[in-house]
Amino acid sequence: MHQLLEEIFGSELIAIIIASSLPLIFITVLVIFAVLLERKVAGHMQDRLGPMRVGYHGILQTIADFFKLIQKEDIVADTTDKRFFNLAPVLVFAGSYAAYAALPFSSAYIGSRIDLGLFYIVAISSLVVAGILMAGWSSNNKYSLLGAMRSAAQIVSYEIPTVLVILSMVMISANFTVDGKGTLSLMEISEIQTSSFWNWFVLGGAGFSLSKFLLLPFTMAAFLIFLISSLAEVNRTPFDMPEAESELVAGYHTEYSGMKFAMFFLAEYANMFAVSAIAAAIFFGGYQSPIGYLGNSLGIEWLVPIEQFFWFSVKGVFFVFVQMWLRWTLPRVRVDQLMTICWKYLIPYAFVNLTIIGIISLI
Amino acid sequence: MKQYLLNTWEALSTIFIGMKITFGHLFVPAVTIQYPDVRVRLPERVRNRLYVNMDDCIGCLQCARACPVDCIDIETVKSLPTEDLGKTSNGKKKALWVTKFDIDIAKCCYCQLCVFPCPTECIYMTDVYEFSEFGRNDLVYKFATLTNEEAKEKAAQYDVFMEEKERQKAEAAKAKAEAAEKAKKEKENEENKEDNKDK
Amino acid sequence: MTIYDIIFYLFAAITVLSAFLVVTAKNIVHSAFYLLFTFFGVAGLYVLLGADFIAIVQIMVYVGGILILLLFGVMLTNKITSVEIKSGTIHVLPAVIGLGLFAAFVLSTMMTTKWKSNPAELPFTTVYDLGYILINEYVLIFELLGILLLIALIGAASIARKDKE
């Protein structure tokens, strides 16, 4: 992909700039689609219809909303800390956008082929926390500050089970690499789970060995833990205390309006897809097709990466849908319940899971 | 420890039950009615916007008196005997020009109390419920069929008529009085004559 | 001047500028926020040096951990509704002397050191070797550090805990 761009434009710099802005286009399209999906899912789960008036069954609703948002007046309250108030949405979006650098969209396109992909994503998402704290503090509003504090505490806490689960999956990946070393690269992890859904990590990894069947229940548990803690990491219901409309108005983005609010919104949906894509990559084969490629059987080579991109998006969007599904199923938990779930349940389970997976991988 | 595992199991299983239910609802037909395009059939006796059929109104003011919030404002002018205002649909003879019949629907409380006293059943509730306006004054509905000029004309005409009548009355009274006086005088004269005869 | 040079100067500028702002900012929360950019710039420099693992650990530990902790500390220990948290300049003379000595030391070291100027190598995976070394050669230190952190954690928890009457 990168080479192709370089050949087309004849300059490394332009190729880099274009390659790095591709996920932005993806995010924009995705958000337009995901917001509509969210509203439609919400509607139909409550036996309503959702937006219906803009376009056929409201498919252009998000675009209309987007134009509404960019027309809006940019209101900055008088006592806010202007510099950081303006910087915070950028930082939050930068944090969630940076995660896309290590997501393998297909075998032909990944922002950066660093070997520490997963580790990088976990680390860079702390920029989001800093941005949220900045937004909450600079708004000079008690609800915003409370929301920001809650959000930061929540994300920092839930990073632990997430990382433990990721660690256990990386340990499993060591069973399947050529040199016996585990890998942190999402690309390599996806490559391992190739050719069939039977090889997915959620089903214990490739092959028919005994260890696969021993691992199977524990990888499934790992997936559940990851799903729950990733929900908390992106502040989705049932863990959406930071932006609880009914108690904190809207948490850290209470004071934001217009395009700055849109940035937060964009970042939230970008984050949703990012964690979904990670879940898809480490448990469900990433961009690998579960049933084989049309391009391979037809002998058209360039079709394969496009198919891979398709599968990656489908898996990602499916987990985004699961997040929405959970949102309209579960009520919001209390702050103490949130911490109980994390520290008393998820972390012990993740630890035990990690140990067991480690032992099984050794034998 | 047992409780701990039970809690975990309960949480997970109940979440899955909940998810099953919400997923099922994805395929339940929506109860939404697409309002401006599709409308619910209103019940027969709904109380919405008032309407007055001025052809039947006899200007009896009963509705205005019944109104608890005084949102009906009626002014009438008597017609001349020479004018024929026609009859209402249930056979009552109209005798008044209704020069003003204003209903301030913004004040209306939709109690329907004005409807029952109407002897000709000309004021009634319709099934129109979309009548929002930008100005509050636009919610004052004017039902009077006469234009302002006509109303003034009628009033003036009636005044002229009344004056005329007054004058005629006065003349008649005068004539009567004169006649009475004349008669009295004649009587007196006759009495005097008879008195004279007697003498 | 290649792209990498430009990126290097960009990160260096971010680091130096934000570090300057950390020191000069009147409001301590502002300082903490500027510190974020300092850490981030340093991480960028690590990446350019081919030390990707260190760079990511830098972001994870400093931005994701220490900075958040710092902000929490500042926000929870002061009045949060009114901005009364200020940092001022005190002890100018001793500071100037100390800083002068330190600057002289750094400069003299910089002048006397023979700098290796190898062409930049492509970064290879360091995480596997690092992990291998940590639990083979330096396992004792690694474990001791772990125990130290654990003790600190338990200590903090026991201090924070309410005494049962």
Side-chain angles (χ1 to χ4, degrees):
Chain A
M1 190 75 179
H2 199 265
Q3 268 131 14
L4 184 77
L5 283 171
E6 212 172 312
E7 273 169 34
I8 294 171
F9 296 102
S11 155
E12 197 188 355
L13 186 66
I14 295 173
I16 287 175
I17 290 169
I18 287 177
S20 58
S21 50
L22 282 178
L24 193 64
I25 299 164
F26 179 77
I27 290 174
T28 318
V29 175
L30 176 95
V31 168
I32 285 173
F33 174 72
V35 172
L36 182 71
L37 183 72
E38 167 111 59
R39 299 177 65 174
K40 278 289 181 191
V41 166
H44 284 283
M45 278 189 178
Q46 298 169 347
D47 296 351
R48 295 184 287 114
L49 286 168
M52 287 291 282
R53 311 248 354 135
V54 190
Y56 175 73
H57 275 245
I59 44 172
L60 301 175
Q61 181 68 47
T62 327
I63 296 165
D65 282 346
F66 172 74
F67 282 115
K68 182 200 73 178
L69 271 176
I70 54 174
Q71 281 174 37
K72 277 203 169 178
E73 184 192 353
D74 180 33
I75 301 166
V76 180
D78 199 36
T79 49
T80 52
D81 200 314
K82 303 284 180 310
R83 190 179 302 169
F84 292 113
F85 186 78
N86 292 332
L87 190 64
V90 181
L91 202 64
V92 170
F93 183 68
S96 49
Y97 186 55
Y100 280 72
L103 288 182
F105 285 89
S106 78
S107 59
Y109 181 78
I110 179 169
S112 165
R113 277 174 194 273
I114 50 169
D115 297 307
L116 295 164
L118 266 170
F119 193 34
Y120 163 78
I121 291 174
V122 171
I124 207 77
S125 63
S126 58
L127 265 187
V128 177
V129 189
I132 287 173
L133 265 179
M134 197 185 272
W137 186 81
S138 63
S139 293
N140 209 351
N141 172 330
K142 57 190 164 198
Y143 295 117
S144 296
L145 188 64
L146 266 176
M149 298 281 239
R150 280 185 186 186
S151 177
Q154 176 179 327
I155 295 176
V156 170
S157 307
Y158 276 83
E159 228 161 52
I160 301 165
T162 315
V163 170
L164 287 175
V165 168
I166 287 174
L167 192 59
S168 56
M169 299 324 284
V170 170
M171 268 160 47
I172 290 179
S173 78
N175 297 349
F176 302 104
T177 48
V178 187
D179 51 2
K181 296 176 186 176
T183 175
L184 279 164
S185 160
L186 279 174
M187 193 108 177
E188 282 174 43
I189 289 178
S190 304
E191 282 296 334
I192 290 166
Q193 308 171 61
T194 187
S195 79
S196 158
F197 64 89
W198 185 245
N199 299 333
W200 286 353
F201 276 179
V202 75
L203 297 175
F208 285 92
S209 58
L210 175 68
S211 72
K212 178 192 169 83
F213 294 101
L214 282 176
L215 278 173
L216 203 143
F218 299 104
T219 47
M220 288 211 170
F223 170 65
L224 279 180
I225 295 169
F226 184 84
L227 193 70
I228 295 167
S229 51
S230 70
L231 269 179
E233 282 217 46
V234 293
N235 298 335
R236 291 286 298 182
T237 326
F239 305 111
D240 68 338
M241 268 89 54
E243 40 203 85
E245 294 88 349
S246 45
E247 34 187 302
L248 288 184
V249 196
Y252 54 87
H253 48 61
T254 304
E255 295 289 340
Y256 285 90
S257 61
M259 268 327 270
K260 283 181 205 147
F261 172 74
M263 287 271 255
F264 278 116
F265 210 61
L266 210 63
E268 189 187 323
Y269 278 86
N271 264 334
M272 269 168 75
F273 185 80
V275 291
S276 304
I278 296 166
I282 59 179
F283 291 104
F284 292 89
Y287 54 75
Q288 299 287 359
S289 156
I291 46 169
Y293 295 107
L294 199 68
N296 277 345
S297 43
L298 290 179
I300 311 167
E301 221 170 81
W302 55 264
L303 202 61
V304 176
I306 295 169
E307 273 184 73
Q308 286 173 335
F309 176 68
F310 168 75
W311 283 112
F312 183 77
S313 315
V314 164
K315 285 171 186 173
V317 169
F318 175 74
F319 287 111
V320 170
F321 168 72
V322 171
Q323 289 181 359
M324 293 167 183
W325 185 1
L326 276 165
R327 175 171 180 185
W328 300 108
T329 304
L330 299 174
R332 188 182 300 138
V333 297
R334 283 198 316 263
V335 180
D336 62 316
Q337 289 169 335
L338 173 95
M339 288 301 161
T340 309
I341 291 168
C342 179
W343 293 97
K344 290 192 182 164
Y345 288 90
L346 287 184
I347 292 180
Y349 277 123
F351 253 122
V352 170
N353 211 28
L354 175 75
T355 323
I356 294 172
I357 287 178
I359 291 167
I360 297 173
S361 300
L362 272 182
I363 49 176
Chain B
M1 189 66 200
K2 199 185 159 199
Q3 191 57 46
Y4 181 84
L5 291 174
L6 271 177
N7 283 347
T8 316
W9 172 248
E10 202 189 336
L12 281 177
S13 57
T14 49
I15 286 172
F16 280 119
I17 291 169
M19 286 176 82
K20 207 175 81 190
I21 290 168
T22 42
F23 193 76
H25 273 273
L26 268 183
F27 305 103
V28 173
V31 294
T32 313
I33 290 154
Q34 294 280 295
Y35 157 59
D37 305 329
V38 185
R39 283 154 199 270
V40 187
R41 240 180 71 94
L42 292 171
E44 208 176 307
R45 303 197 301 183
V46 282
R47 306 202 296 228
N48 288 307
R49 183 155 77 171
L50 276 171
Y51 181 73
V52 182
N53 182 4
M54 285 310 288
D55 289 346
D56 279 1
C57 182
I58 56 167
C60 64
L61 295 187
Q62 298 221 43
C63 50
R65 281 191 211 106
C67 182
V69 290
D70 290 340
C71 70
I72 305 176
D73 188 6
I74 306 175
E75 279 171 14
T76 52
V77 172
K78 279 184 187 159
S79 61
L80 306 183
T82 49
E83 286 171 322
D84 183 21
L85 281 85
K87 279 184 177 175
T88 64
S89 54
N90 59 357
K92 279 215 157 83
K93 198 167 180 305
K94 293 191 341 185
L96 297 166
W97 290 110
V98 182
T99 52
K100 187 180 177 192
F101 198 121
D102 289 359
I103 296 180
D104 190 350
I105 207 79
K107 284 190 203 159
C108 179
C109 65
Y110 306 97
C111 59
Q112 215 183 4
L113 286 178
C114 52
V115 173
F116 303 115
C118 184
T120 59
E121 286 169 18
C122 72
I123 183 165
Y124 50 86
M125 295 274 181
T126 56
D127 57 358
V128 181
Y129 47 87
E130 297 150 308
F131 44 94
S132 52
E133 297 282 357
F134 287 105
R136 192 171 293 176
N137 287 335
D138 297 339
L139 282 168
V140 180
Y141 295 140
K142 294 178 166 55
F143 287 100
T145 43
L146 301 176
T147 58
N148 271 345
E149 287 76 38
E150 274 178 321
K152 264 178 200 158
E153 193 192 310
K154 295 290 181 209
Q157 188 188 342
Y158 181 71
D159 285 346
V160 167
F161 170 74
M162 281 310 281
E163 258 170 44
E164 180 80 9
K165 208 175 173 186
E166 202 71 18
R167 202 168 49 82
Q168 277 175 4
K169 215 174 167 182
E171 264 172 26
K174 210 173 157 191
K176 209 177 171 185
E178 271 172 16
E181 204 144 306
K182 220 175 175 181
K184 209 178 167 186
K185 267 182 186 167
E186 272 174 16
K187 212 179 175 182
E188 271 174 15
N189 285 345
E190 269 173 34
E191 273 173 11
N192 285 344
K193 266 181 196 173
E194 273 177 26
D195 280 352
N196 291 341
K197 267 184 191 171
D198 290 343
K199 280 176 188 174
Chain C
M1 206 152 160
T2 61
I3 306 167
Y4 296 101
D5 287 339
I6 298 170
I7 295 171
F8 169 78
Y9 284 114
L10 193 74
F11 276 121
I14 288 174
T15 314
V16 174
L17 204 75
S18 56
F20 179 74
L21 285 169
V22 169
V23 184
T24 51
K26 284 273 190 297
N27 192 324
I28 202 159
V29 182
H30 285 185
S31 297
F33 283 139
Y34 286 125
L35 203 58
L36 164 75
F37 297 100
T38 315
F39 289 148
F40 196 69
V42 171
L45 294 180
Y46 280 135
V47 170
L48 289 176
L49 288 171
D52 48 359
F53 184 76
I54 308 270
I56 292 168
V57 168
Q58 164 87 12
I59 291 179
M60 187 148 188
V61 172
Y62 283 92
V63 178
I66 291 185
L67 187 81
I68 306 294
L69 210 67
L70 209 103
L71 282 168
F72 261 68
V74 171
M75 286 174 181
L76 289 177
T77 51
N78 279 281
K79 275 188 183 174
I80 44 177
T81 43
S82 61
V83 187
E84 286 177 9
I85 321 151
K86 299 274 191 232
S87 59
T89 316
I90 46 163
H91 303 306
V92 181
L93 194 67
V96 167
I97 293 169
L99 199 68
L101 283 174
F102 182 69
F105 171 70
V106 171
L107 272 176
S108 64
T109 329
M110 271 172 74
M111 294 302 179
T112 51
T113 311
K114 277 186 184 173
W115 295 96
K116 271 199 259 177
S117 56
N118 287 350
E121 289 169 24
L122 270 178
F124 58 95
T125 318
T126 48
V127 60
Y128 183 82
D129 300 319
L130 271 172
Y132 193 80
I133 291 169
L134 269 183
I135 50 171
N136 279 292
E137 280 176 51
Y138 301 106
V139 66
L140 184 67
I141 299 165
F142 183 71
E143 292 293 333
L144 279 177
L145 275 174
I147 288 167
L148 182 74
L149 284 175
L150 187 67
I151 291 168
L153 212 74
I154 294 169
S158 73
I159 289 169
R161 195 176 186 149
K162 270 185 200 160
D163 287 327
K164 276 181 187 166
E165 298 291 317

